[in-house]
Amino acid sequence: MHTPDFYRIIDAEIEGILVKYKEDRFLQRPPNHQDNQKAYALLIWFLEFYGKIYSYTDFITEGEDDSSCDIVFDKTNHLGERVFYVVQSKWNNHKNSGGKTSSDEIKKALSDFKTVLRGEKQTGNEKLKGQLENLQAHLRTNGEMKFIFLTLSQYQGGSDDNIEAFLDKDDKIKFEVIDIDRIKADYIDRYYKLIDPVNPLEKYISPEESPISLEFAQPAGHFIKIEKPYEAYLTLLRPKMIYELFEKYGFALYFKNVRNPLLQSQFNQEIETTALEEPQLFWYYNNGITAITLNIPPIGKNAKLVVLTGLQIINGAQTVYAIYRAYKSASPAKRAIMDANSFVTLRLMQSGGKKFDLNVTRFTNSQNPVTDRDFWANDDIQVKLQNDSFQTAVWYEKRRGEFRNVPEHIQVVSNEEFARLILCYHLQEPHWFFTKGSEKLFFVSQNDHKGGLYEKIFAPDLSYEDLLAAHYADEMFIRYQSISRRWDLRLLVVGLLKSALGKYFKAKYNNSQINTSKKIVELFEKNETATIYKTVQFLINFIDELMDQNILLIWQEDGFNKIKNLLTDYDLKIEEIENIELPVPNLSAGKHAGDGRPDDRI
């Protein structure tokens, strides 16, 4: 989703706020100050989206004499700690939505705030003045404060020195930038993945390494304990404990899980219904949950409360989320009944290292339809590629089924499909598809199998631009060549396209440094695809001619390399591409042509 397209979504929501709160005195400004109105409405949107705060008048401290939009308020977090939040926003209209946040803007925001906080700059805004006095008193009592710079532009860093000076080595003062890219990623999480994003107006604590208090339903003397090779316990939890864990840590409990809970699934609904209506039967109907912790301390026989070092749910995401929802919606009386009658089995294991943890995750999920690609969903390169894809109209699916809703004009492509394209287009090694069993190794590490291809395909420096170019090139083949249904030819063409177009672009633009992938993306997104198609047709002709010369082994590695070398040595004239005539495209092919047909997919 390109930034201007996303900006229009946010702008429409802000327009809705202007209508909803049209009686607000700050929104009753002269029509020629619409940007001021929207800047104020942005603050309301921010409070509603992140903080789920709908009575905003006590939170926004902006006055008519202020040059910027501010929020100053205190809030007690889920740990019972009082934290002050200061939000300063930078409004951008649609024309400037593609702009960048400069380091000078950050510097000015921090400098202005410090000046006002110290009383060196007077303000006529009594509400702001009162809140700043409360904040100063809070800081004097060792309280915590977080400053948020909210901007509808892209923040690209460069302000580290200013931020460091503002923080002044004070652990009680935090700083965070919420820019349009962060807002977009969080918006996608909430409305398209149907999971709550990390809330900047709440203290985030990772459950992976933090101390976790776990209260068991029975004393340790009633546990089943495994001592070797890694310590483990089989025990029971009550619904209240599961509710409190999720209330505190949310979806961060699942970061090592192979999938997030299906928030609207029938399965979830059935678990919720059982927990609420038949709590005494819950243990009989449910398999329970499996969790890994970094350290389990010595546990006495009478202990019911234990402090663990970190916790990650690796199996049972559906169960945890369904119980959380059921408990949250239940009345106090219903909660008491649930806690008295429901038990959830917990298999608690001490970590045995990365490989052991991954294998436990894999095998505990083996009875469910989980594939090798699911276990890499949280790998750094997978996260990076997905985040980069949010800047485009083609979203990268790193976890099966994670996009429960897909906005109009957005296409979702799986990392499985991209793995095939990377091998063909980026690495130019289509011969893997003719090697028996190789596709089963795309998401297998070479550390686990000598033929594993994961590290080869998803190298740390892999660019999403290369993936997008490969995807667009493949679509051009489908769009014009779908009648042939030649998947083997498709592999060869996509594998050679980067070289052929690279030669053409360098000759056409007289630039030996031109980025081929970047140019493919640019042409495709401008709907100027004739050159790409013509190059596809040129390669088909080129390959057909070689086949006529009885080069029979082109489907093998040596054969493909021979074709690639012949193409590299070929003296390509730009007229050979430009003089090819365009046929009428097969409009039924398009984005999803041939989905589900093995002979029509790379």
Side-chain angles (χ1 to χ4, degrees):
M1 185 182 293
H2 296 291
T3 298
D5 296 328
F6 178 68
Y7 185 96
R8 279 189 282 271
I9 292 175
I10 296 299
D11 194 48
E13 295 195 5
I14 288 174
E15 291 277 6
I17 288 174
L18 292 178
V19 173
K20 181 179 178 181
Y21 300 110
K22 62 183 178 182
E23 302 302 324
D24 187 293
R25 67 186 183 89
F26 284 105
L27 297 181
Q28 294 174 349
R29 299 179 179 184
N32 60 330
H33 288 84
Q34 188 185 43
D35 278 356
N36 288 343
Q37 294 176 330
K38 286 190 172 183
Y40 184 78
L42 172 63
L43 296 176
I44 300 175
W45 182 91
F46 175 79
L47 288 171
E48 291 184 350
F49 180 81
Y50 284 107
K52 298 181 181 178
I53 296 168
Y54 299 98
S55 178
Y56 63 89
T57 52
D58 293 335
F59 296 88
I60 298 178
T61 54
E62 180 200 9
E64 293 180 359
D65 60 338
D66 294 329
S67 59
S68 61
C69 300
D70 292 309
I71 301 174
V72 181
F73 71 97
D74 65 296
K75 182 174 179 282
T76 301
N77 63 29
H78 60 263
L79 300 175
E81 302 168 338
R82 186 183 179 212
V83 180
F84 262 82
Y85 294 92
V86 178
V87 183
Q88 184 163 340
S89 74
K90 173 66 177 177
W91 172 259
N92 274 328
N93 57 31
H94 186 269
K95 182 179 179 181
N96 299 319
S97 63
K100 314 296 181 187
T101 301
S102 70
S103 57
D104 288 341
E105 289 174 318
I106 301 287
K107 180 180 180 181
K108 184 177 186 308
L110 296 175
S111 176
D112 285 353
F113 176 72
K114 267 198 167 182
T115 301
V116 173
L117 183 62
R118 291 170 178 166
E120 297 170 7
K121 178 182 177 181
Q122 297 301 314
T123 174
N125 184 337
E126 292 301 320
K127 186 177 179 181
L128 175 60
K129 185 177 179 181
Q131 284 289 62
L132 290 175
E133 289 174 355
N134 293 335
L135 171 57
Q136 289 170 328
H138 176 69
L139 292 173
R140 284 194 294 270
T141 57
N142 199 34
E144 187 171 320
M145 182 199 85
K146 184 176 185 181
F147 188 99
I148 296 173
F149 186 83
L150 173 67
T151 175
L152 286 183
S153 60
Q154 293 177 315
Y155 175 60
Q156 300 202 324
S159 305
D160 291 351
D161 290 343
N162 303 123
I163 295 169
E164 189 175 331
F166 173 77
L167 299 176
D168 195 24
K169 298 181 180 179
D170 189 341
D171 292 337
K172 289 292 184 175
I173 298 178
K174 312 294 181 184
F175 176 83
E176 185 173 8
V177 174
I178 307 293
D179 70 347
I180 196 165
D181 287 344
R182 162 71 184 274
I183 293 170
K184 184 199 301 183
D186 291 344
Y187 194 93
I188 289 169
D189 275 353
R190 175 163 293 163
Y191 294 114
Y192 303 126
K193 292 186 179 181
L194 300 186
I195 62 174
D196 269 343
V198 173
N199 181 7
L201 298 178
E202 181 58 82
K203 187 171 184 178
Y204 172 71
I205 302 174
S206 168
E208 194 166 347
E209 297 181 358
S210 303
I212 304 284
S213 295
L214 212 58
E215 184 175 358
F216 304 117
Q218 81 275 36
H222 297 275
F223 293 175
I224 294 176
K225 181 180 180 181
I226 305 296
E227 295 186 354
K228 295 181 179 180
Y230 302 106
E231 192 173 352
Y233 291 87
L234 183 67
T235 184
L236 299 175
L237 299 179
R238 297 189 190 276
K240 181 183 177 182
M241 186 70 255
I242 292 174
Y243 168 80
E244 289 176 350
L245 279 173
F246 193 88
E247 181 75 3
K248 184 173 181 178
Y249 299 109
F251 290 96
L253 284 169
Y254 304 141
F255 280 173
K256 283 189 175 178
N257 205 324
V258 295
R259 57 191 168 205
N260 286 325
L262 303 175
L263 303 191
Q264 295 178 335
S265 70
Q266 181 183 359
F267 176 57
N268 260 346
Q269 202 62 51
E270 290 173 353
I271 298 176
E272 283 186 52
T273 301
T274 302
L276 279 170
E277 305 301 332
E278 299 179 293
Q280 72 280 5
L281 299 178
F282 190 88
W283 183 86
Y284 297 94
Y285 293 170
N286 188 269
N287 290 329
I289 60 180
T290 302
I292 284 183
T293 178
L294 290 178
N295 182 57
I296 303 175
I299 302 176
K301 287 187 177 181
N302 297 313
K304 290 185 68 175
L305 181 67
V306 176
V307 179
L308 309 171
T309 303
L311 190 76
Q312 288 282 277
I313 305 295
I314 60 171
N315 182 263
Q318 308 287 351
T319 296
V320 170
Y321 190 70
I323 290 175
Y324 168 76
R325 282 173 54 92
Y327 203 85
K328 188 178 182 70
S329 67
S331 65
K334 275 276 190 182
R335 289 184 177 188
I337 293 172
M338 290 172 67
D339 285 325
N341 293 278
S342 288
F343 297 100
V344 182
T345 301
L346 170 68
R347 295 173 71 229
L348 178 66
M349 306 178 188
Q350 184 162 308
S351 171
K354 186 175 180 180
K355 184 175 181 179
F356 171 80
D357 295 355
L358 182 61
N359 281 335
V360 171
T361 305
R362 177 179 287 117
F363 295 131
T364 55
N365 287 279
S366 63
Q367 292 181 338
N368 301 314
V370 178
T371 64
D372 286 323
R373 62 172 283 220
D374 294 318
F375 296 102
W376 293 100
N378 298 309
D379 193 30
D380 288 345
I381 185 64
Q382 298 296 322
V383 174
K384 177 184 180 299
L385 291 173
Q386 183 174 87
N387 288 339
D388 289 347
S389 79
F390 291 156
Q391 308 299 326
T392 75
V394 180
W395 288 358
Y396 183 95
E397 183 195 66
K398 64 185 179 66
R399 189 194 302 270
R400 282 184 305 148
E402 64 182 324
F403 296 107
R404 282 88 187 230
N405 294 322
V406 180
E408 190 177 2
H409 306 307
I410 293 294
Q411 182 183 3
V412 173
V413 177
S414 71
N415 56 358
E416 189 173 37
E417 185 71 13
F418 272 128
R420 296 166 175 145
L421 291 169
I422 293 166
L423 276 174
C424 283
Y425 171 86
H426 183 57
L427 298 178
Q428 297 181 298
E429 297 185 13
H431 65 273
W432 285 107
F433 294 92
F434 305 98
T435 304
K436 187 176 181 180
S438 62
E439 284 197 70
K440 294 181 180 179
L441 299 173
F442 288 177
F443 287 87
V444 175
S445 170
Q446 59 187 10
N447 296 323
D448 297 327
H449 188 289
K450 64 179 181 180
L453 294 170
Y454 182 80
E455 290 85 358
K456 178 184 182 70
I457 296 172
F458 295 102
D461 60 348
L462 181 63
S463 160
Y464 188 70
E465 193 169 60
D466 277 327
L467 271 65
L468 198 56
H471 171 69
Y472 287 155
D474 185 50
E475 284 208 349
M476 291 308 299
F477 184 95
I478 296 171
R479 190 174 298 179
Y480 289 101
Q481 295 294 327
S482 59
I483 295 174
S484 72
R485 299 295 178 189
R486 288 280 306 279
W487 74 278
D488 49 359
L489 181 62
R490 182 176 165 192
L491 292 170
L492 292 174
V493 169
V494 174
L496 295 169
L497 194 59
K498 192 173 184 180
S499 294
L501 276 171
K503 292 173 74 72
Y504 171 80
F505 290 149
K506 288 172 184 177
K508 174 73 174 179
Y509 301 105
N510 193 27
N511 180 0
S512 61
Q513 302 301 315
I514 196 164
N515 185 314
T516 303
S517 292
K518 187 180 185 69
K519 193 66 180 175
I520 291 174
V521 172
E522 176 190 325
L523 291 174
F524 202 95
E525 294 186 346
K526 288 181 178 179
N527 203 27
E528 298 174 1
T529 57
T531 296
I532 304 173
Y533 163 71
K534 290 180 178 182
T535 308
V536 168
Q537 189 58 57
F538 166 80
L539 287 171
I540 291 171
N541 297 340
F542 189 81
I543 293 168
D544 283 344
E545 186 175 335
L546 292 176
M547 291 183 70
D548 289 341
Q549 297 173 18
N550 293 320
I551 297 180
L552 300 177
L553 300 178
I554 59 174
W555 316 120
Q556 299 177 12
E557 181 177 4
D558 291 345
F560 177 78
N561 287 336
K562 185 174 183 180
I563 294 181
K564 188 167 67 172
N565 291 335
L566 288 170
L567 180 63
T568 300
D569 295 338
Y570 186 76
D571 185 18
L572 179 67
K573 304 291 191 300
I574 60 174
E575 294 81 9
E576 292 181 81
I577 301 292
E578 294 178 349
N579 290 340
I580 292 176
E581 293 186 5
L582 280 172
V584 176
N586 181 348
L587 298 179
S588 66
K591 292 182 177 179
H592 302 286
D595 279 359
R597 297 189 185 92
D599 63 337
D600 195 58
R601 296 174 67 84
I602 285 187

